[in-house]
Amino acid sequence: MAKKSPRVTITDVARTAGVSLSTVSRVMNDNPTVDPALAERVRGVATDLGYTANPLARSLVLGRTQTVAVVIPDLANPTFQAILRGLSRAADDDGYHVLIADSAEQVEKEPTLATTTRRRTDGVILCAPRMSQDELTAMLPALAPAVIVNRPPQPGAPTVAADYRSAMTELVAHLYELGHRRVAFLSGVPGSASGAARKTAQAEARIAHADLEIVEFPAGVDFDSGAQAAGPVLAASVTAVLAFNDLVAMGLLSAVTAQGVRVPEDLSIAGFDDIPFARFTSPPLTTAAVPAAELGRRAWAAMSALLSGDAAATSLVLTPEIVVRGSTGPAPAS
Amino acid sequence: MAKKSPRVTITDVARTAGVSLSTVSRVMNDNPTVDPALAERVRGVATDLGYTANPLARSLVLGRTQTVAVVIPDLANPTFQAILRGLSRAADDDGYHVLIADSAEQVEKEPTLATTTRRRTDGVILCAPRMSQDELTAMLPALAPAVIVNRPPQPGAPTVAADYRSAMTELVAHLYELGHRRVAFLSGVPGSASGAARKTAQAEARIAHADLEIVEFPAGVDFDSGAQAAGPVLAASVTAVLAFNDLVAMGLLSAVTAQGVRVPEDLSIAGFDDIPFARFTSPPLTTAAVPAAELGRRAWAAMSALLSGDAAATSLVLTPEIVVRGSTGPAPAS
DNA sequence: CTGTTAGCGCTTTCAG
DNA sequence: CTGAAAGCGCTAACAG
C-alpha cells in the first residue's frame, strides 16, 4: 500500500507483536529457547508484515556476509565461464552468494580487485591469477580465506588445479606417435602458471626425444591471436601445432583453412581445454579436456571447508583427458 | 606482524592520530571542512595502519551497497554470458560490484533469487525472466530499482531488449526468398518472451504469405534439444528449419549431418543469437546477431540512471542484424 | 523463558 | 574547524 515502501524492521515486528527485539531475533533464528506459542505468534506477525532480517545488519554483527568473491581474468573465456558456473552453483547449493570480479585480462587490476571485493565478502577465489609469485604471497594473508585455481601449490591457501603438464605431455606424445618431429607452440600470455606447466612438459619431451623440435611463437589467448599466428606458423615449416588453448587453435584453424591449407593432411592442430565448441569445428579439434566446471565445484568445496574451519590447506589436482578428434593426423610424408 | 590480523578500524586511526572518529571519517570521505594539515596527518596514519573503511558498516549507515544483482536463467548459455560480461564491465567502470544469481533454468527459483539477492544490493537486473507476467508485476515493487532484459516494456521498470520479432521476420523472409515454403520451428521453452516474439513474427509471415507453412516442434534451448529434434524434423519433410537459438541449431546440424543429410543442399538451418561460435560450424550458421554484450551495457546504464534518480522508465530496443552464412540455401527442387 | 543493554564500524547532525 | 552523541538494523551476553 505504502507509496515509498518503508522497509519493515525487527523493531516494527517487536512493537506490533508486543515483545522485545531479542525475542523476535530469537524467533527468526529458530532459537529453541522461546515459548512455542509466543514464537508462533511472532512468526505470524513477521509474515503479516512481510519482515525479513536485513542481511547487511546481520553481516555487520555476525562478521560474515554469506558471500564469496571470484576474481576471473576474462569473462569471455569459455573455460573461466565454466569454472564460474560450477563454482556459483555449488556455492548456491550451500546458501552462499557469489560476487564476480572480471579483471578483463588486466593483470595489474587483479590485486586491487581481490582486496576490495574481499572486504565485502567472506573469502575470495582467485582464478588463474597471473600476478607474480611475490605479489601473490604478499597479498595472500590479507585475502584469507582464499583459494587459488590453476596455480601451483601455494603455502597459505588451498589450491585447485588441472594438471596442464601431464596433459601437454600426452598431447606431445600423441603428435610424436603420428610422426610429427617439428611442431610449433603458440604460447599464450606470459605469467600464466598453466603456460609454464605446458612448457615444462614440452622441455621434458624434447629431452626424451632428441629428434623432436618445438618452436615457440608468442601469441595471445583468444581467437584473433590464433588467426594472426597463421603467417608465422606456416612460414616455419612445421607439420603440427600445439595451440595455447582451443580459442587460439580455432583462430589458427580458421585462418590456415582460408589459405587452402588442409587440416590435418597438411598441418595438424591441437587445442587445449575442450571448450564446448571444440567438437564443432571442421575438422573437430583434438584437445585436452580440462574439467573446468568440476574445478569450480572443487574450488567452492575448498572454500567451504576453509569457512567451516576444518581446513587442512589441501592442494588438489585434476587430470585432463586427451580427446583425439579430427584436427590431428599423421605427419605428411616430407 | 600480528598472527590473527585484527582488522584496523576507524577508532584505531582516530586514537593513534589523536583525533575524533568524526574527523577521521571526514578525512576519509574527502570532506573539505577539515584543516588541510590535520587531514594530511590523519591520512598518513591511515595509510600507515593500512586502514580502509569497512564497506559493510558504511553500507548499513549509508543505505547503499555499491552492488547490484543479476539474475541469469543459465550461466551456460553464451548469450547470457555475454550479457553478464557487458553488464559486469560497465558496472565495474562505475565502481559497482555485481552479484550473480544463476537460476539454472529453474523458473520457480527466479522470484526467490531476485528478492533475496535484492536485499544485499542496491538493485537487481532480471535477465530474460520466464516467470509469469502476474508474478513479475507482483514482485517488481519489492525489487525496485530493477531493470528487465529481454522482455516487453513493463510498467514499473525500464526494459532493455533485442527485437526478436523483427529479426525473426527477416529470417523468415530470407528463407522465403530462397524458395522455402514449408519450414520447421524448434520452439524453445515456454514462458520466454523472446519466444513469443518469434512466434508473432512467424504468424505475421504466414498471413503475408498464404503458401508458407511453419510447423512447430517443441524443443529446449540447448545443444542436446537440437540434436534430439533431428528425427521429428526430418520426418516432417520440411526444407528449412528455424532453430530457437544457435545452440539448438548446432545440435540439429550436428545430428542431421551425422545422418547424411547435407546442409544446406537438403535442408537449410537458421539459428538465432550469433553466439561466438556460430561462424565455426560447418557450414557456418545463418543467424540473427543479438548484441548481447551491448544489451548488458545498456542494462547497466539503465540501472545506473535509476540509481542516480534521473530515471524516466525507458524501454530500449536493439535490433539484431541478420547474418547470412552457409547453413541456409535455396530450397531443393521437389 | 523474556527483556535490557551493549555493541558491530561507520556517518552525520548538532553543538561548540 | 572539530568533537560528542545518536543511530543504521541486528545479535548476544547478561540479568531477571
Side-chain angles (χ1 to χ4, degrees):
Chain A
M1 296 299 104
K3 228 67 223 223
K4 195 182 198 342
S5 142
R7 249 358 244 163
V8 26
T9 79
I10 194 173
T11 310
D12 300 324
V13 180
R15 183 160 10 83
T16 94
V19 299
S20 75
L21 295 192
S22 1
T23 298
V24 179
S25 176
R26 292 195 184 97
V27 171
M28 298 312 288
N29 293 297
D30 294 312
N31 185 321
T33 74
V34 181
D35 181 274
L38 214 200
E40 200 41 56
R41 189 157 63 80
V42 171
R43 228 177 310 262
V45 174
T47 29
D48 283 358
L49 266 45
Y51 170 74
T52 314
N54 179 330
L56 249 63
R58 299 197 78 220
S59 293
L60 184 57
V61 60
L62 293 182
R64 52 188 166 72
T65 61
Q66 215 74 313
T67 304
V68 293
V70 180
V71 181
I72 300 264
D74 182 12
L75 220 34
N77 184 312
T79 298
F80 296 134
Q81 291 166 353
I83 292 176
L84 175 61
R85 175 163 33 91
L87 176 20
S88 153
R89 293 189 178 171
D92 186 81
D93 289 342
D94 289 356
Y96 269 76
H97 300 263
V98 173
L99 199 65
I100 55 170
D102 176 8
S103 69
E105 286 288 358
Q106 306 193 266
V107 199
E108 67 279 9
K109 289 186 65 180
E110 283 181 353
T112 327
L113 275 179
T115 17
T116 75
T117 56
R118 170 61 181 88
R119 300 228 44 199
R120 7 186 114 248
T121 59
D122 298 341
V124 41
I125 289 107
L126 260 27
C127 237
R130 293 229 311 280
M131 66 183 87
S132 75
Q133 186 60 41
D134 287 349
E135 277 184 292
L136 219 202
T137 49
M139 70 184 308
L140 222 37
L143 294 184
V147 355
I148 300 174
V149 178
N150 275 351
R151 236 179 119 121
Q154 173 83 216
T159 269
V160 174
D163 188 350
Y164 285 79
R165 176 171 159 189
S166 79
M168 180 52 84
T169 299
E170 286 189 55
L171 235 28
V172 174
H174 166 65
L175 292 180
Y176 190 84
E177 282 163 20
L178 285 171
H180 299 280
R181 292 296 177 268
R182 184 172 160 79
V183 346
F185 174 51
L186 302 187
S187 64
V189 293
S192 147
S194 70
R198 288 169 173 88
K199 283 186 205 170
T200 302
Q202 295 173 183
E204 292 169 341
R206 269 187 310 231
I207 290 173
H209 304 292
D211 58 343
L212 176 63
E213 238 182 316
I214 302 186
V215 287
E216 183 175 328
F217 293 87
V221 296
D222 56 12
F223 183 84
D224 288 336
S225 312
Q228 283 163 25
V233 164
L234 255 21
S237 65
V238 297
T239 61
V241 11
L242 293 158
F244 183 78
N245 63 25
D246 290 341
L247 253 17
V248 172
M250 290 172 70
L252 177 69
L253 173 59
S254 167
V256 301
T257 300
Q259 294 185 38
V261 175
R262 294 168 307 160
V263 175
E265 292 79 1
D266 303 328
L267 183 72
S268 281
I269 297 180
F272 213 112
D273 287 349
D274 194 25
I275 62 177
F277 296 90
R279 67 183 55 184
F280 302 124
T281 53
S282 62
L285 227 48
T286 289
T287 190
V290 174
E294 181 66 17
L295 278 177
R297 256 171 265 135
R298 298 306 187 93
W300 168 251
M303 176 53 77
S304 182
L306 244 36
L307 257 19
S308 338
D310 46 275
T314 55
S315 145
L316 186 144
V317 173
L318 262 34
T319 303
E321 299 279 321
I322 298 306
V323 14
V324 175
R325 291 196 272 246
S327 69
T328 51
S334 59
Chain B
M1 296 298 104
K3 229 66 224 236
K4 194 182 197 348
S5 144
R7 253 351 247 163
V8 27
T9 79
I10 194 173
T11 310
D12 301 324
V13 180
R15 184 162 7 84
T16 93
V19 298
S20 75
L21 294 192
S22 356
T23 298
V24 179
S25 176
R26 292 195 183 96
V27 171
M28 299 311 289
N29 292 298
D30 294 314
N31 185 321
T33 73
V34 181
D35 181 275
L38 214 200
E40 200 42 55
R41 189 156 62 78
V42 171
R43 229 177 309 264
V45 174
T47 28
D48 284 359
L49 267 44
Y51 170 73
T52 313
N54 180 329
L56 249 63
R58 299 197 78 219
S59 293
L60 184 58
V61 59
L62 260 10
R64 51 187 166 71
T65 60
Q66 215 74 313
T67 304
V68 294
V70 181
V71 181
I72 301 264
D74 182 12
L75 220 34
N77 185 313
T79 298
F80 296 134
Q81 290 166 354
I83 292 176
L84 175 62
R85 173 162 34 91
L87 175 22
S88 154
R89 293 189 179 170
D92 186 82
D93 289 342
D94 289 356
Y96 270 76
H97 300 263
V98 172
L99 199 66
I100 55 170
D102 175 9
S103 68
E105 288 287 357
Q106 306 193 265
V107 198
E108 68 279 10
K109 289 187 66 179
E110 283 182 352
T112 328
L113 274 179
T115 17
T116 75
T117 57
R118 170 62 181 88
R119 300 230 43 199
R120 5 187 116 247
T121 59
D122 298 341
V124 42
I125 290 107
L126 261 26
C127 238
R130 294 228 312 278
M131 65 183 87
S132 76
Q133 186 61 42
D134 287 349
E135 276 185 292
L136 219 202
T137 49
M139 70 184 309
L140 222 36
L143 294 185
V147 357
I148 301 175
V149 178
N150 275 350
R151 241 182 114 120
Q154 176 81 215
T159 269
V160 173
D163 187 349
Y164 285 78
R165 177 172 157 188
S166 78
M168 179 52 85
T169 298
E170 287 189 54
L171 235 28
V172 174
H174 166 65
L175 293 179
Y176 190 85
E177 283 163 19
L178 285 171
H180 298 280
R181 291 297 176 270
R182 185 173 159 78
V183 347
F185 173 51
L186 303 187
S187 64
V189 292
S192 146
S194 70
R198 289 169 172 87
K199 284 186 207 171
T200 303
Q202 295 172 183
E204 291 169 342
R206 269 186 311 229
I207 290 174
H209 304 291
D211 57 343
L212 176 63
E213 238 182 316
I214 301 185
V215 287
E216 183 176 329
F217 293 87
V221 296
D222 57 11
F223 184 85
D224 288 336
S225 311
Q228 283 162 24
V233 164
L234 256 21
S237 64
V238 297
T239 62
V241 12
L242 292 159
F244 183 78
N245 62 24
D246 290 342
L247 254 18
V248 172
M250 290 172 70
L252 177 69
L253 173 58
S254 167
V256 300
T257 301
Q259 294 184 38
V261 175
R262 293 168 309 159
V263 175
E265 292 80 1
D266 303 328
L267 184 72
S268 281
I269 298 181
F272 213 112
D273 288 348
D274 195 25
I275 61 178
F277 295 90
R279 66 183 56 183
F280 301 124
T281 52
S282 62
L285 227 48
T286 289
T287 189
V290 174
E294 181 66 17
L295 279 177
R297 254 171 266 135
R298 298 308 187 91
W300 167 250
M303 177 53 78
S304 181
L306 244 36
L307 258 19
S308 337
D310 45 274
T314 56
S315 145
L316 187 143
V317 173
L318 263 34
T319 304
E321 299 281 319
I322 298 305
V323 15
V324 175
R325 290 195 274 246
S327 69
T328 51
S334 59

PDB file of all heavy atoms in Angstrom, chain B residues 216-239:
ATOM      1  N   GLU B 216       5.573 -26.235 -35.914  1.00  0.00           N
ATOM      2  CA  GLU B 216       6.316 -26.034 -34.683  1.00  0.00           C
ATOM      3  C   GLU B 216       6.647 -27.336 -33.969  1.00  0.00           C
ATOM      4  O   GLU B 216       5.796 -28.210 -33.833  1.00  0.00           O
ATOM      5  CB  GLU B 216       5.485 -25.130 -33.769  1.00  0.00           C
ATOM      6  CG  GLU B 216       6.177 -24.793 -32.483  1.00  0.00           C
ATOM      7  CD  GLU B 216       5.358 -23.813 -31.653  1.00  0.00           C
ATOM      8  OE1 GLU B 216       4.643 -22.987 -32.269  1.00  0.00           O
ATOM      9  OE2 GLU B 216       5.424 -23.888 -30.420  1.00  0.00           O
ATOM     10  N   PHE B 217       7.878 -27.448 -33.520  1.00  0.00           N
ATOM     11  CA  PHE B 217       8.292 -28.601 -32.729  1.00  0.00           C
ATOM     12  C   PHE B 217       8.775 -28.091 -31.382  1.00  0.00           C
ATOM     13  O   PHE B 217       9.658 -27.242 -31.329  1.00  0.00           O
ATOM     14  CB  PHE B 217       9.440 -29.342 -33.404  1.00  0.00           C
ATOM     15  CG  PHE B 217       9.040 -29.996 -34.696  1.00  0.00           C
ATOM     16  CD1 PHE B 217       9.089 -29.296 -35.888  1.00  0.00           C
ATOM     17  CD2 PHE B 217       8.605 -31.319 -34.703  1.00  0.00           C
ATOM     18  CE1 PHE B 217       8.718 -29.898 -37.074  1.00  0.00           C
ATOM     19  CE2 PHE B 217       8.232 -31.929 -35.895  1.00  0.00           C
ATOM     20  CZ  PHE B 217       8.285 -31.213 -37.098  1.00  0.00           C
ATOM     21  N   PRO B 218       8.204 -28.593 -30.333  1.00  0.00           N
ATOM     22  CA  PRO B 218       8.691 -28.186 -29.025  1.00  0.00           C
ATOM     23  C   PRO B 218      10.125 -28.696 -28.884  1.00  0.00           C
ATOM     24  O   PRO B 218      10.425 -29.816 -29.294  1.00  0.00           O
ATOM     25  CB  PRO B 218       7.775 -28.910 -28.037  1.00  0.00           C
ATOM     26  CG  PRO B 218       6.691 -29.516 -28.860  1.00  0.00           C
ATOM     27  CD  PRO B 218       7.165 -29.616 -30.256  1.00  0.00           C
ATOM     28  N   ALA B 219      10.976 -27.894 -28.354  1.00  0.00           N
ATOM     29  CA  ALA B 219      12.354 -28.326 -28.110  1.00  0.00           C
ATOM     30  C   ALA B 219      12.896 -27.429 -27.025  1.00  0.00           C
ATOM     31  O   ALA B 219      12.266 -26.452 -26.634  1.00  0.00           O
ATOM     32  CB  ALA B 219      13.175 -28.187 -29.378  1.00  0.00           C
ATOM     33  N   GLY B 220      14.042 -27.766 -26.518  1.00  0.00           N
ATOM     34  CA  GLY B 220      14.630 -26.964 -25.443  1.00  0.00           C
ATOM     35  C   GLY B 220      15.422 -25.802 -25.986  1.00  0.00           C
ATOM     36  O   GLY B 220      15.139 -25.276 -27.057  1.00  0.00           O
ATOM     37  N   VAL B 221      16.423 -25.403 -25.234  1.00  0.00           N
ATOM     38  CA  VAL B 221      17.224 -24.254 -25.628  1.00  0.00           C
ATOM     39  C   VAL B 221      18.701 -24.609 -25.788  1.00  0.00           C
ATOM     40  O   VAL B 221      19.518 -23.751 -26.030  1.00  0.00           O
ATOM     41  CB  VAL B 221      17.130 -23.133 -24.584  1.00  0.00           C
ATOM     42  CG1 VAL B 221      15.707 -22.621 -24.498  1.00  0.00           C
ATOM     43  CG2 VAL B 221      17.606 -23.625 -23.216  1.00  0.00           C
ATOM     44  N   ASP B 222      19.019 -25.899 -25.628  1.00  0.00           N
ATOM     45  CA  ASP B 222      20.433 -26.247 -25.687  1.00  0.00           C
ATOM     46  C   ASP B 222      20.782 -27.194 -26.831  1.00  0.00           C
ATOM     47  O   ASP B 222      19.914 -27.615 -27.591  1.00  0.00           O
ATOM     48  CB  ASP B 222      20.890 -26.838 -24.357  1.00  0.00           C
ATOM     49  CG  ASP B 222      20.043 -28.049 -23.985  1.00  0.00           C
ATOM     50  OD1 ASP B 222      19.277 -28.530 -24.847  1.00  0.00           O
ATOM     51  OD2 ASP B 222      20.142 -28.502 -22.836  1.00  0.00           O
ATOM     52  N   PHE B 223      22.040 -27.497 -26.915  1.00  0.00           N
ATOM     53  CA  PHE B 223      22.551 -28.344 -27.972  1.00  0.00           C
ATOM     54  C   PHE B 223      21.811 -29.679 -28.081  1.00  0.00           C
ATOM     55  O   PHE B 223      21.357 -30.078 -29.165  1.00  0.00           O
ATOM     56  CB  PHE B 223      24.041 -28.597 -27.724  1.00  0.00           C
ATOM     57  CG  PHE B 223      24.693 -29.378 -28.805  1.00  0.00           C
ATOM     58  CD1 PHE B 223      25.182 -28.751 -29.950  1.00  0.00           C
ATOM     59  CD2 PHE B 223      24.821 -30.755 -28.698  1.00  0.00           C
ATOM     60  CE1 PHE B 223      25.773 -29.472 -30.959  1.00  0.00           C
ATOM     61  CE2 PHE B 223      25.412 -31.491 -29.707  1.00  0.00           C
ATOM     62  CZ  PHE B 223      25.896 -30.854 -30.844  1.00  0.00           C
ATOM     63  N   ASP B 224      21.661 -30.344 -26.971  1.00  0.00           N
ATOM     64  CA  ASP B 224      21.022 -31.656 -26.980  1.00  0.00           C
ATOM     65  C   ASP B 224      19.589 -31.601 -27.496  1.00  0.00           C
ATOM     66  O   ASP B 224      19.137 -32.498 -28.211  1.00  0.00           O
ATOM     67  CB  ASP B 224      21.046 -32.265 -25.572  1.00  0.00           C
ATOM     68  CG  ASP B 224      22.462 -32.702 -25.203  1.00  0.00           C
ATOM     69  OD1 ASP B 224      23.264 -32.954 -26.128  1.00  0.00           O
ATOM     70  OD2 ASP B 224      22.760 -32.783 -24.004  1.00  0.00           O
ATOM     71  N   SER B 225      18.869 -30.562 -27.117  1.00  0.00           N
ATOM     72  CA  SER B 225      17.489 -30.421 -27.592  1.00  0.00           C
ATOM     73  C   SER B 225      17.478 -30.399 -29.108  1.00  0.00           C
ATOM     74  O   SER B 225      16.608 -30.988 -29.752  1.00  0.00           O
ATOM     75  CB  SER B 225      16.876 -29.119 -27.085  1.00  0.00           C
ATOM     76  OG  SER B 225      17.080 -28.988 -25.715  1.00  0.00           O
ATOM     77  N   GLY B 226      18.437 -29.700 -29.663  1.00  0.00           N
ATOM     78  CA  GLY B 226      18.504 -29.611 -31.111  1.00  0.00           C
ATOM     79  C   GLY B 226      18.794 -30.965 -31.729  1.00  0.00           C
ATOM     80  O   GLY B 226      18.168 -31.371 -32.722  1.00  0.00           O
ATOM     81  N   ALA B 227      19.714 -31.678 -31.137  1.00  0.00           N
ATOM     82  CA  ALA B 227      20.090 -32.988 -31.657  1.00  0.00           C
ATOM     83  C   ALA B 227      18.888 -33.931 -31.607  1.00  0.00           C
ATOM     84  O   ALA B 227      18.605 -34.675 -32.546  1.00  0.00           O
ATOM     85  CB  ALA B 227      21.252 -33.555 -30.855  1.00  0.00           C
ATOM     86  N   GLN B 228      18.161 -33.864 -30.488  1.00  0.00           N
ATOM     87  CA  GLN B 228      17.017 -34.760 -30.328  1.00  0.00           C
ATOM     88  C   GLN B 228      15.870 -34.435 -31.286  1.00  0.00           C
ATOM     89  O   GLN B 228      15.032 -35.287 -31.566  1.00  0.00           O
ATOM     90  CB  GLN B 228      16.501 -34.693 -28.883  1.00  0.00           C
ATOM     91  CG  GLN B 228      17.388 -35.468 -27.915  1.00  0.00           C
ATOM     92  CD  GLN B 228      17.147 -35.058 -26.478  1.00  0.00           C
ATOM     93  OE1 GLN B 228      16.082 -34.552 -26.145  1.00  0.00           O
ATOM     94  NE2 GLN B 228      18.143 -35.275 -25.636  1.00  0.00           N
ATOM     95  N   ALA B 229      15.849 -33.228 -31.755  1.00  0.00           N
ATOM     96  CA  ALA B 229      14.759 -32.840 -32.649  1.00  0.00           C
ATOM     97  C   ALA B 229      14.992 -33.347 -34.075  1.00  0.00           C
ATOM     98  O   ALA B 229      14.108 -33.261 -34.926  1.00  0.00           O
ATOM     99  CB  ALA B 229      14.599 -31.327 -32.645  1.00  0.00           C
ATOM    100  N   ALA B 230      16.164 -33.868 -34.325  1.00  0.00           N
ATOM    101  CA  ALA B 230      16.511 -34.286 -35.686  1.00  0.00           C
ATOM    102  C   ALA B 230      15.490 -35.256 -36.282  1.00  0.00           C
ATOM    103  O   ALA B 230      15.016 -35.077 -37.404  1.00  0.00           O
ATOM    104  CB  ALA B 230      17.911 -34.895 -35.706  1.00  0.00           C
ATOM    105  N   GLY B 231      15.140 -36.278 -35.523  1.00  0.00           N
ATOM    106  CA  GLY B 231      14.206 -37.284 -36.014  1.00  0.00           C
ATOM    107  C   GLY B 231      12.898 -36.668 -36.480  1.00  0.00           C
ATOM    108  O   GLY B 231      12.554 -36.731 -37.665  1.00  0.00           O
ATOM    109  N   PRO B 232      12.163 -36.051 -35.559  1.00  0.00           N
ATOM    110  CA  PRO B 232      10.893 -35.415 -35.905  1.00  0.00           C
ATOM    111  C   PRO B 232      11.023 -34.445 -37.085  1.00  0.00           C
ATOM    112  O   PRO B 232      10.190 -34.469 -37.996  1.00  0.00           O
ATOM    113  CB  PRO B 232      10.522 -34.660 -34.632  1.00  0.00           C
ATOM    114  CG  PRO B 232      11.216 -35.402 -33.536  1.00  0.00           C
ATOM    115  CD  PRO B 232      12.452 -35.986 -34.121  1.00  0.00           C
ATOM    116  N   VAL B 233      12.036 -33.630 -37.066  1.00  0.00           N
ATOM    117  CA  VAL B 233      12.196 -32.635 -38.117  1.00  0.00           C
ATOM    118  C   VAL B 233      12.362 -33.301 -39.470  1.00  0.00           C
ATOM    119  O   VAL B 233      11.709 -32.936 -40.453  1.00  0.00           O
ATOM    120  CB  VAL B 233      13.420 -31.727 -37.840  1.00  0.00           C
ATOM    121  CG1 VAL B 233      13.818 -30.973 -39.103  1.00  0.00           C
ATOM    122  CG2 VAL B 233      13.109 -30.754 -36.712  1.00  0.00           C
ATOM    123  N   LEU B 234      13.219 -34.304 -39.510  1.00  0.00           N
ATOM    124  CA  LEU B 234      13.472 -34.992 -40.768  1.00  0.00           C
ATOM    125  C   LEU B 234      12.195 -35.682 -41.267  1.00  0.00           C
ATOM    126  O   LEU B 234      11.928 -35.754 -42.480  1.00  0.00           O
ATOM    127  CB  LEU B 234      14.587 -36.030 -40.557  1.00  0.00           C
ATOM    128  CG  LEU B 234      15.978 -35.683 -41.104  1.00  0.00           C
ATOM    129  CD1 LEU B 234      16.188 -34.192 -41.316  1.00  0.00           C
ATOM    130  CD2 LEU B 234      17.071 -36.254 -40.208  1.00  0.00           C
ATOM    131  N   ALA B 235      11.398 -36.166 -40.325  1.00  0.00           N
ATOM    132  CA  ALA B 235      10.177 -36.867 -40.693  1.00  0.00           C
ATOM    133  C   ALA B 235       9.100 -35.909 -41.205  1.00  0.00           C
ATOM    134  O   ALA B 235       8.150 -36.312 -41.858  1.00  0.00           O
ATOM    135  CB  ALA B 235       9.647 -37.631 -39.478  1.00  0.00           C
ATOM    136  N   ALA B 236       9.272 -34.646 -40.904  1.00  0.00           N
ATOM    137  CA  ALA B 236       8.227 -33.683 -41.244  1.00  0.00           C
ATOM    138  C   ALA B 236       8.336 -33.149 -42.670  1.00  0.00           C
ATOM    139  O   ALA B 236       7.524 -32.317 -43.094  1.00  0.00           O
ATOM    140  CB  ALA B 236       8.257 -32.521 -40.261  1.00  0.00           C
ATOM    141  N   SER B 237       9.322 -33.611 -43.387  1.00  0.00           N
ATOM    142  CA  SER B 237       9.556 -33.167 -44.762  1.00  0.00           C
ATOM    143  C   SER B 237       9.447 -31.655 -44.944  1.00  0.00           C
ATOM    144  O   SER B 237       8.644 -31.159 -45.716  1.00  0.00           O
ATOM    145  CB  SER B 237       8.618 -33.885 -45.734  1.00  0.00           C
ATOM    146  OG  SER B 237       7.274 -33.560 -45.483  1.00  0.00           O
ATOM    147  N   VAL B 238      10.283 -30.960 -44.213  1.00  0.00           N
ATOM    148  CA  VAL B 238      10.398 -29.522 -44.400  1.00  0.00           C
ATOM    149  C   VAL B 238      11.694 -29.304 -45.167  1.00  0.00           C
ATOM    150  O   VAL B 238      12.534 -30.191 -45.250  1.00  0.00           O
ATOM    151  CB  VAL B 238      10.484 -28.779 -43.042  1.00  0.00           C
ATOM    152  CG1 VAL B 238       9.212 -28.995 -42.246  1.00  0.00           C
ATOM    153  CG2 VAL B 238      11.698 -29.240 -42.261  1.00  0.00           C
ATOM    154  N   THR B 239      11.850 -28.115 -45.726  1.00  0.00           N
ATOM    155  CA  THR B 239      13.089 -27.847 -46.458  1.00  0.00           C
ATOM    156  C   THR B 239      14.009 -26.926 -45.668  1.00  0.00           C
ATOM    157  O   THR B 239      15.154 -26.708 -46.044  1.00  0.00           O
ATOM    158  CB  THR B 239      12.797 -27.198 -47.819  1.00  0.00           C
ATOM    159  OG1 THR B 239      12.142 -25.939 -47.596  1.00  0.00           O
ATOM    160  CG2 THR B 239      11.911 -28.104 -48.664  1.00  0.00           C
TER     161      THR B 239
END
